[in-house]
Amino acid sequence: MVTMDTLVSLCKRRGFIFQSSEIYGGTGSCWDYGPLGVELKNKIKHVWWRDFVQQRADMVGLDASILMHPTVWKASGHVDHFTDPMVDCRECRHRFRADQIDEIPWIHYCAATKGNKFTIPAGEACSHCQARRSLCPDCGKGELTPPRQFNLMFKTFMGPVEEDASVTYLRPETAQGIFVNFDNVLQSMRRKLPFGIGQIGKAFRNEITPGNFIFRTREFEQMEIEYFVNPHETVDGRPADEYWHDRWIADCLAWFQRYGLQADNLRLHEHARDELAHYSKRTADVQYRFPIGWSELMGIANRTDFDLKQHAKWSGKTLTYFDEERKEHLVPFVIEPSAGVDRALLAFLADAYREEEVRGEKRVVLRLHPELAPVSVAVLPLLKKRDDIVRKTHAIREELSRQCTAVYDDTAAIGRLYRRQDEVGTPYCVTVDVQTVGDTDKGERADDKVTIRDRDSMEQIRIAASRLATVVGELLAGKRWADVAAGVAAG
Ligand code: GAP
């Protein structure tokens, strides 16, 4: 498994992810997506939206605002419950989550070895004096304050006056934008249960201990679905909410595998009773084997009718559904598959990373799914001194760019250009050479063919330039390289 340091360094070097405000020393736990990172992120969001919103007859989309009425957060329980217990070191002033403090290595000045300083692995005792951690794990000297509850929402002010009446929050989840629009969508789209509303957008949490690159940040993006079901119905002999919960868990696991995550690196974690959020009847996390170990990639919760009932109570509006068959008004139950875009991106990168040996040399390759790769096709001239080759290469790139992300590069020899594209996951490279355009000095006619190289097998095939757009389209739509190659060989 690739280390986090290797990924962080690759991401910076190759323009995926930069530290936010780096020239000013960086902003804690905020990251900027560079030219390749934004392509990868947009493609993850695009396939998620296509697969879960556009292609399903039971789904619609929404894009709610980040700033909402402050009462939303009172009703949702975030003002009162969205807290983590924190402790502070009285000496070095570092702040920790009280419930995670034993999960980090700790500094210890050991009395049994004349006060020598040791770094002791998380949760373990000193092997010399058997002491367990009681002081600050970072400085090893300061007493810790008793735990205090710390609300994770970012407060801000709406309008020009900074007073209590104008306080609002940056949304800590996109979900509430969906709940408060439930009736708008129901009425305008004439939906029948079960149906879902999907949304992708930014969320903000003032995490006490952010870290591990883009795994836990204070500004991140979520891809969330609220799937409304009739709690009085049964499907396959089971209550509809329980049936749909399992269906969504299976669909989400299959989705991550479809885009490249290995089954061995995915597992489910069922929340124990005391772990459940205040609104949840059951929550299952999809965990991924990140470079930091098994951790949450997404959560799939049964939020029951909690949110709709709360918003009905606090807003005074009716948020019910009329069941024509039973002639009754009811409050739907909600199944919520909620994934982090940034965590998905980190998982796709980690799973795709390979170091291979090719003819005695190390090759770093990102085996990203072709639909996710930041660059779909790199179009490369074999001789940059020949104007006709360069012109043809630019023309091909321009044509391909109408259907996918295509780049031109002539800044190195071809072998090095291939390696650079492998390292950022480009599934196909196209080269234009002398045969493509011909050589009038030597009396050689143009064959108008180009070479396509496959990233994973490194095989090459030569096809007519006029067929390139079709072949690239087929490959990006999922046709196997071996089938394309066999078709070309068969003429
Ligand atoms: N609406 C439900 C909800 O927000 P959550 O488990 O708190 O549930 C859902 O968040 C997903 O959002 C997580 O599984 C994770 O992928 C992502 N996420 C949450 N907090 C994050 C953070 N601080 N940084 C990056 N991603 C985060």
Side-chain angles (χ1 to χ4, degrees):
M1 168 59 82
V2 59
T3 64
M4 197 67 108
D5 285 348
T6 304
L7 279 185
V8 174
S9 139
L10 173 82
C11 283
K12 168 149 195 203
R13 195 163 31 84
R14 300 310 314 273
F16 281 86
I17 301 171
F18 310 124
Q19 169 82 70
S20 161
S21 320
E22 193 180 348
I23 59 167
Y24 288 100
T27 311
S29 86
C30 293
W31 298 90
D32 296 342
Y33 286 84
L36 296 193
V38 68
E39 288 293 336
L40 176 56
K41 199 175 185 210
N42 281 343
K43 286 178 182 186
I44 292 170
K45 292 190 282 186
H46 168 74
V47 294
W48 185 91
W49 190 262
R50 182 191 63 196
D51 299 345
F52 285 128
V53 179
Q54 293 177 322
Q55 291 190 345
R56 291 182 62 132
D58 56 351
M59 289 287 304
V60 290
L62 182 79
D63 184 13
S65 65
I66 288 173
L67 297 174
M68 302 176 72
H69 194 288
T71 313
V72 167
W73 308 110
K74 211 53 204 150
S76 67
H78 282 83
V79 170
D80 297 323
H81 300 296
F82 198 56
T83 55
D84 277 336
M86 66 168 193
V87 291
D88 289 306
C89 172
R90 296 192 202 275
E91 192 79 23
C92 70
R93 306 267 164 230
H94 279 179
R95 181 163 279 184
F96 306 91
R97 263 179 67 171
D99 55 340
Q100 289 179 350
I101 199 161
D102 285 328
E103 292 165 23
I104 43 182
W106 55 288
I107 299 290
H108 175 52
Y109 292 92
C110 175
T113 58
K114 297 187 184 150
N116 279 346
K117 181 182 172 187
F118 297 102
T119 303
I120 301 187
E124 291 185 15
C126 170
S127 57
H128 304 283
C129 67
Q130 310 312 318
R132 295 207 155 259
R133 188 202 56 74
S134 60
L135 302 172
C136 169
D138 270 6
C139 69
K141 292 179 178 159
E143 299 269 343
L144 296 172
T145 59
R148 280 177 295 150
Q149 289 302 325
F150 175 77
N151 195 295
L152 301 184
M153 282 197 295
F154 279 99
K155 251 186 204 172
T156 187
F157 300 92
M158 192 91 102
V161 205
E162 283 196 18
E163 58 176 52
D164 272 0
S166 63
V167 163
T168 188
Y169 304 92
L170 300 188
R171 68 180 176 198
E173 61 172 12
T174 62
Q176 298 304 324
I178 299 181
F179 294 125
V180 300
N181 278 295
F182 168 73
D183 199 51
N184 284 335
V185 174
L186 189 65
Q187 301 308 333
S188 58
M189 305 306 287
R190 310 202 162 276
R191 290 280 130 177
K192 293 246 172 301
L193 290 180
F195 77 93
I197 304 177
Q199 174 167 222
I200 299 178
K202 290 260 183 174
F204 303 83
R205 296 182 189 175
N206 200 3
E207 300 279 3
I208 298 170
T209 46
N212 289 317
F213 194 28
I214 53 169
F215 180 82
R216 179 167 286 109
T217 52
R218 295 194 168 112
E219 173 180 343
F220 55 97
E221 235 172 325
Q222 291 186 313
M223 308 185 277
E224 294 204 295
I225 292 167
E226 306 303 327
Y227 195 77
F228 301 94
V229 302
N230 186 335
H232 302 152
E233 267 176 12
T234 53
V235 187
D236 286 352
R238 302 173 60 202
D241 60 317
E242 295 179 14
Y243 168 86
W244 281 107
H245 198 173
D246 282 334
R247 271 285 294 271
W248 275 107
I249 291 172
D251 285 357
C252 292
L253 280 169
W255 188 83
F256 279 113
Q257 286 176 57
R258 173 173 168 193
Y259 291 101
L261 300 193
Q262 294 171 64
D264 286 356
N265 289 336
L266 288 165
R267 72 179 188 193
L268 272 189
H269 165 74
E270 289 283 346
H271 283 215
R273 268 196 173 284
D274 58 354
E275 250 185 295
L276 287 177
H278 58 279
Y279 50 72
S280 174
K281 169 174 162 184
R282 175 192 168 203
T283 297
D285 288 343
V286 173
Q287 292 188 335
Y288 178 73
R289 202 201 305 255
F290 284 98
I292 49 168
W294 287 102
S295 310
E296 178 185 335
L297 172 58
M298 72 172 297
I300 305 156
N302 182 343
R303 290 181 82 125
T304 67
D305 52 8
F306 175 85
D307 300 270
L308 289 178
K309 278 189 169 159
Q310 283 294 104
H311 287 304
K313 186 172 126 194
W314 284 80
S315 68
K317 300 284 185 307
T318 306
L319 296 179
T320 53
Y321 172 86
F322 185 65
D323 181 346
E324 302 276 358
E325 246 174 64
R326 293 184 177 79
K327 304 283 179 233
E328 65 174 354
H329 291 274
L330 59 92
V331 182
F333 267 37
V334 177
I335 305 302
E336 180 194 62
S338 171
V341 180
D342 314 78
R343 274 191 205 175
L345 188 145
L346 185 59
F348 285 127
L349 275 181
D351 223 304
Y353 186 92
R354 304 276 192 294
E355 287 179 11
E356 300 171 351
E357 200 178 298
V358 179
R359 289 184 286 280
E361 273 184 35
K362 182 172 119 177
R363 158 172 112 129
V364 171
V365 56
L366 285 184
R367 288 181 180 252
L368 286 168
H369 187 283
E371 283 200 89
L372 298 187
V375 176
S376 321
V377 186
V379 195
L380 316 167
L382 217 59
L383 280 180
K384 70 172 175 184
K385 286 190 189 133
R386 285 270 305 258
D387 283 351
D388 47 355
I389 293 182
V390 169
R391 262 199 315 277
K392 178 82 181 168
T393 314
H394 277 300
I396 289 176
R397 189 215 66 84
E398 203 178 315
E399 190 195 347
L400 288 177
S401 69
R402 284 183 214 122
Q403 68 187 78
C404 62
T405 324
V407 299
Y408 170 94
D409 194 2
D410 66 6
T411 56
I414 192 69
R416 178 169 284 223
L417 291 181
Y418 282 154
R419 292 289 177 269
R420 282 191 199 156
Q421 294 300 332
D422 288 344
E423 201 185 27
V424 299
T426 307
Y428 308 107
C429 288
V430 170
T431 46
V432 177
D433 54 25
V434 177
Q435 287 78 36
T436 316
V437 294
D439 194 334
T440 35
D441 292 348
K442 292 187 185 160
E444 288 167 8
R445 288 179 46 203
D447 72 0
D448 221 10
K449 287 184 171 177
V450 292
T451 304
I452 315 182
R453 172 189 181 264
D454 174 48
R455 175 196 67 201
D456 296 343
S457 63
M458 292 183 288
E459 284 172 10
Q460 305 191 359
I461 52 177
R462 207 164 160 79
I463 61 162
S466 57
R467 286 192 56 218
L468 184 62
T470 309
V471 169
V472 165
E474 287 171 352
L475 285 166
L476 293 178
K479 189 162 178 181
R480 284 166 9 118
W481 170 264
D483 296 336
V484 172
V488 170

